Amino acid sequence: MTDSTAPESSNQETRSSIFQEVIGKNEFDDRIDTQSDLNTLEALRIIGRSLRQISSEPKLFSAKVILELGLIVPALYLPWLGKIVIDNVLQQQPFNTTEIEFPPFMQPVLTIVQDQDPLQIMLTVSTIFILGMVVLGMRTYGLSAGLHEGQDAATQAENRISASYSEGSGLWGLAAFMVGVRLTQRLASRLRTRLFERLSRMPMSKLDDQRIGDSIYRVMYDVPMAPDLFLQLTIVPFFMMLNAGINLYVLQYSYGEVSPELIWIAWATVPVAFLITFPFSGAIRRTSQNKRAAGSATTNAMEESVSNVAAVQSLGATGEQSSRFADRSEESFRRERYFIAVVIVCSCIFAAVSGIAGIYVIILVSDLIIDGVMSPGDYAALIGIFWSIAMPAAYLGAYWIKIQDVIAAVRRVFFFMDFESEEDHKDGDECTVIERQITFENVGYSYPNGTRALTDINLSFKFGDLVAIVGPTGSGKTTLAYLIPAILQPTSGRVLIDGRDAREFNIESIRRQVSYVLQEHTFLSTTIRHNLLLANPNATEPQMFDALETAGCVDFVAELPNGLDIRLGRGGDTLSVGQQQRLSIARGLIRDAPVLILDEPTAALDPQTEHFLLRSLRRAAEHRLVVVIAHRLSTIRQADQIVFIEDGRVQETGTHNELMVRSTSAYREYVELQNVAT
Ligand code: ADP
Ligand code: MG
């Protein structure tokens, strides 16, 4: 990437300009998810897919719908109660002085109040109002979990994950709201778990250190947007439309004859709201997608620095790391500002248009009241009804805009869910016990960044053999070994398991056959026992002891304060490197799998433990395939087959003795050099 001979300052510049370039081109600082454009068709597809998630919670969903239906009631009565208070209480007029008719659902109330005097009417209306308030509540829109929400993904996600909407409050509204919260949480939790499962099965080449922050961002901040999307697409618009529809009907019924223009204006609000906001939706989706990518990059930068804190400090690179973080953080904020600006411009235009319509309605109604066609009480009723129509209309217009952000988030979730399914051959056959051989046929492998690690590998590893892979650092040994349990998959050629292409098998089932002791040992920060059981949950106490003994762990484990039950630090860092390596070998041995692979296991062992380990590996190889990547001659010598690789190519294979007697042998040169070195 950067020229190593260039002076430090220009190095810095190149680095930040690379960053600028990556971000500036709307390409994510993220290796796989490089597409930032999201067209309307894809948006609709994502919406369809989100809707299908609801089928997993049919009961809660129906409960929510039924409860919400009840909440339409208060909105219907409220404007008419207002009219009665103004006309028949304050102005003390009798009923039916104008042509305006009360809608049918008001008849029960009218029969009660018709012959009452104004004071009694007020008492009746107040009683109905108070009862209604307690049970059904005043109508509210878009009630949410109610945390103070900032323009950051964290609080937004927190609010979204417990989001609910209810058209009402009161006791009924509370029940409806809580059912809604439960529904959102269930959906989010299910989706979050599924995404987590997918991520934990991602091919290692895709899920390296740089991806961790991004994955966290997706699981924590993007997922909660999905249930919000289902709700926003089902319950919220449905009830808004239903409300608007009923109110339009009422408007038509009572005022249709005296003022047909009113009806037209009310009807027009919905499509106009949509027309105004629609052109902005593409821009909002893109900016949202970009701000989320930048948020991921920030999380990545933080994760990387914190998890490599020792390296960063030992290299005195804290300043450089901080400025890298600052860059990303600033970029993320810049995109957030852009996003906010687009949203604000959009809502301003909408507010202006609906404001003008509102003023026109007020003028129209005032005229009609002055002319005596309507009474002042109609003003109250009409404003109430209009509110019930214009609010949903405004909301639905802004709504298409709002869900663009959500769609962008949900896309990031679905992207990962789909991504993996291409590679994991879920429908593949079950790979039962491997028992004959593993064959490499013209296998080549290039890493996603283009590094060619293996070329033209033709090998056969037989069961019952101890195979040693030997070669200089960087020659491709680890890459070759990764191909066996399909941690990596060949970019050309094929790997055959007992004569069948590994691609025909379901990957999980191949991995169950292989126990792999990684070159970099990784432990979870729980007890040693739990770490061992991770490899084989059914391991008995004697099996554990055997494995610990073979790997030379017994002495140091016995000296630990809690023995096997001591908690390890993050990544096992409360043990020395040598101890970690031994423990890692023990863990590999406990997993009683047909194929055992050890990547440079003996580097940290003393000669005696090494000898002991080799003896048990030899024993293990009698009914297994054991592949060891090794440097030490003492280990290599024991092998039934030695594979010597250099620059990603197999140079020689054979036993130690066979290779040593060849006249020209790269292996012999390598061994002789090693001998001089050690
Ligand atoms: P060995 O185990 O023999 O030391 P590896 O198999 O780890 O070698 O690496 C072989 C080559 O592939 C090296 O050139 C290395 O730089 C490159 N390589 C290893 N891992 C990656 C990776 N994740 N991305 C890109 N290149 C890699
Ligand atoms: Mg290696």
Side-chain angles (χ1 to χ4, degrees):
M1 240 184 352
T2 50
D3 182 359
S4 59
T5 56
E8 187 57 29
S9 62
S10 94
N11 235 347
Q12 284 269 0
E13 268 165 37
T14 324
R15 214 167 294 148
S16 67
S17 78
I18 285 168
F19 182 74
Q20 284 302 327
E21 216 178 277
V22 169
I23 297 282
K25 269 197 268 170
N26 281 352
E27 259 176 36
F28 301 165
D29 184 34
D30 154 330
R31 306 223 178 129
I32 4 180
D33 196 357
T34 49
Q35 182 200 353
S36 72
D37 214 20
L38 219 176
N39 59 30
T40 307
L41 192 71
E42 202 190 343
L44 290 175
R45 215 176 288 132
I46 291 172
I47 289 174
R49 203 162 156 190
S50 307
L51 288 182
R52 260 175 275 140
Q53 313 274 325
I54 288 192
S55 60
S56 62
E57 293 294 342
K59 282 195 197 132
L60 271 175
F61 186 70
S62 327
K64 175 74 180 164
V65 170
I66 291 166
L67 285 169
E68 282 302 316
L69 276 175
L71 289 167
I72 291 180
V73 176
L76 289 178
Y77 281 86
L78 221 53
W80 300 102
L81 294 180
K83 176 174 158 72
I84 294 176
V85 170
I86 293 177
D87 286 349
N88 313 105
V89 178
L90 297 180
Q91 299 204 92
Q92 312 214 346
Q93 285 174 3
F95 286 92
N96 302 325
T97 48
T98 59
E99 280 176 42
I100 312 296
E101 267 189 69
F102 280 91
F105 58 82
M106 281 299 288
Q107 281 316 315
V109 180
L110 288 178
T111 30
I112 301 174
V113 296
Q114 207 124 43
D115 305 316
Q116 292 181 326
D117 61 49
L119 205 68
Q120 283 172 319
I121 296 178
M122 189 65 209
L123 212 68
T124 312
V125 169
S126 308
T127 311
I128 296 173
F129 184 75
I130 291 168
L131 270 179
M133 273 299 200
V134 173
V135 180
L136 296 167
M138 180 61 190
R139 166 102 173 279
T140 45
Y141 276 102
L143 228 61
S144 74
L147 288 176
H148 276 289
E149 182 170 304
Q151 283 294 342
D152 62 307
T155 53
Q156 284 173 3
E158 218 40 68
N159 265 348
R160 289 278 171 26
I161 209 154
S162 301
S164 181
Y165 298 86
S166 179
E167 293 280 297
S169 52
L171 298 175
W172 189 294
L174 182 68
F177 189 78
M178 292 315 288
V179 169
V181 172
R182 191 77 199 99
L183 180 63
T184 331
Q185 288 181 342
R186 283 257 185 95
L187 292 171
S189 155
R190 175 162 302 145
L191 202 62
R192 208 179 237 192
T193 311
R194 268 180 54 202
L195 181 65
F196 175 81
E197 273 172 20
R198 292 273 168 161
L199 285 171
S200 54
R201 293 211 193 103
M202 282 278 282
M204 241 193 255
S205 57
K206 304 284 165 24
L207 194 69
D208 54 27
D209 285 348
Q210 306 226 358
R211 302 220 43 85
I212 293 175
D214 180 59
S215 309
I216 293 174
Y217 195 96
R218 284 175 206 250
V219 173
M220 300 305 292
Y221 304 147
D222 290 336
V223 162
M225 298 296 184
D228 190 49
L229 187 61
F230 327 135
L231 288 183
Q232 297 219 41
L233 285 164
T234 54
I235 294 172
V236 183
F238 173 73
F239 282 99
M240 283 189 174
M241 297 301 265
L242 188 65
N243 246 314
I246 293 175
N247 280 294
L248 273 170
Y249 170 77
V250 172
L251 194 66
Q252 173 77 41
Y253 183 92
S254 301
Y255 296 97
E257 275 178 30
V258 291
S259 175
E261 304 100 302
L262 268 178
I263 314 293
W264 281 114
I265 297 171
W267 269 113
T269 43
V270 179
V272 167
F274 198 72
L275 279 179
I276 290 172
T277 43
F278 189 78
F280 289 92
S281 54
I284 295 211
R285 268 198 306 269
R286 268 189 302 282
T287 44
S288 165
Q289 184 81 278
N290 286 341
K291 80 172 189 191
R292 286 175 180 281
S296 293
T298 315
T299 324
N300 271 338
M302 187 158 95
E303 203 282 334
E304 233 178 293
S305 296
V306 173
S307 61
N308 299 314
V309 70
V312 170
Q313 287 177 358
S314 68
L315 297 171
T318 38
E320 205 264 343
Q321 284 290 315
S322 303
S323 75
R324 195 163 89 100
F325 181 80
D327 275 354
R328 293 189 179 206
S329 182
E330 178 50 37
E331 178 61 30
S332 157
F333 287 146
R334 194 182 66 78
R335 291 184 188 193
E336 192 73 63
R337 289 197 299 275
Y338 183 62
F339 177 75
I340 296 168
V342 175
V343 174
I344 288 177
V345 166
C346 189
S347 21
C348 282
I349 297 177
F350 186 79
V353 174
S354 54
I356 292 168
I359 290 168
Y360 181 69
V361 169
I362 290 173
I363 295 171
L364 197 74
V365 174
S366 305
D367 266 357
L368 290 168
I369 294 173
I370 293 166
D371 292 347
V373 181
M374 288 186 191
S375 63
D378 290 319
Y379 200 79
L382 271 171
I383 297 295
I385 294 170
F386 231 87
W387 177 257
S388 298
I389 300 170
M391 270 299 286
Y395 197 88
L396 287 175
Y399 180 74
W400 178 244
I401 287 295
K402 260 178 62 184
I403 64 172
Q404 303 308 315
D405 183 30
V406 180
I407 290 175
V410 175
R411 193 192 88 100
R412 288 166 50 84
V413 174
F414 287 156
F415 179 88
F416 252 111
M417 294 204 165
D418 298 343
F419 181 80
E420 207 229 1
S421 53
E422 292 166 14
E423 289 207 10
D424 67 354
H425 317 151
K426 272 219 150 43
D427 307 328
D429 292 347
E430 200 64 14
C431 175
T432 47
V433 184
I434 304 177
E435 51 189 8
R436 284 183 285 131
Q437 60 188 8
I438 291 181
T439 313
F440 293 81
E441 226 179 61
N442 303 321
V443 169
Y445 185 81
S446 301
Y447 279 97
N449 69 358
T451 307
R452 181 121 193 108
L454 294 174
T455 314
D456 239 349
I457 306 286
N458 286 290
L459 285 171
S460 192
F461 296 165
K462 279 200 280 304
F463 258 68
D465 272 4
L466 175 64
V467 178
I469 303 178
V470 184
T473 303
S475 55
K477 304 183 293 297
T478 300
T479 311
L480 181 66
Y482 274 170
L483 292 170
I484 298 173
I487 292 174
L488 300 177
Q489 303 196 13
T491 43
S492 61
R494 35 185 214 155
V495 176
L496 304 169
I497 296 176
D498 285 349
R500 281 185 65 186
D501 192 333
R503 287 193 188 89
E504 292 172 24
F505 296 115
N506 148 335
I507 285 196
E508 292 267 302
S509 74
I510 300 179
R511 293 196 185 145
R512 277 197 293 273
Q513 313 291 318
V514 181
S515 177
Y516 198 119
V517 179
L518 293 170
Q519 190 168 13
E520 297 93 21
H521 359 274
T522 42
F523 296 95
L524 301 184
S525 51
T526 70
T527 60
I528 293 185
R529 184 188 302 279
H530 185 231
N531 268 292
L532 292 175
L533 289 176
L534 210 59
N536 178 3
N538 303 319
T540 59
E541 202 73 14
Q543 275 175 323
M544 273 200 232
F545 183 81
D546 270 358
L548 288 170
E549 191 171 34
T550 307
C553 299
V554 169
D555 291 346
F556 82 81
V557 169
E559 277 170 23
L560 294 171
N562 278 332
L564 279 183
D565 294 307
I566 193 166
R567 264 183 178 280
L568 300 177
R570 188 177 195 262
D573 62 6
T574 40
L575 298 176
S576 79
V577 176
Q579 289 169 339
Q580 286 179 36
Q581 185 155 31
R582 292 173 196 201
L583 198 57
S584 170
I585 295 169
R587 189 169 58 176
L589 294 173
I590 279 184
R591 178 105 185 273
D592 191 19
V595 180
L596 174 63
I597 304 171
L598 300 107
D599 197 343
E600 309 204 10
T602 52
L605 301 186
D606 51 74
Q608 203 193 340
T609 315
E610 188 197 347
H611 180 70
F612 198 57
L613 174 70
L614 281 172
R615 251 198 9 220
S616 44
L617 287 184
R618 277 243 55 104
R619 221 175 328 119
E622 280 166 20
H623 45 100
R624 278 197 189 82
L625 167 62
V626 179
V627 179
V628 189
I629 298 176
H631 281 304
R632 285 207 200 165
L633 196 54
S634 44
T635 312
I636 302 167
R637 253 207 192 113
Q638 310 261 343
D640 300 303
Q641 184 189 2
I642 295 168
V643 176
F644 182 70
I645 67 176
E646 224 171 20
D647 292 333
R649 288 173 190 274
V650 175
Q651 302 293 350
E652 281 164 308
T653 73
T655 63
H656 178 72
N657 292 338
E658 282 167 16
L659 295 180
M660 290 303 278
V661 296
R662 288 197 188 163
S663 51
T664 53
S665 168
Y667 170 76
R668 197 177 64 206
E669 272 173 39
Y670 175 78
V671 168
E672 278 161 4
L673 263 174
Q674 292 278 304
N675 278 343
V676 175
T678 49

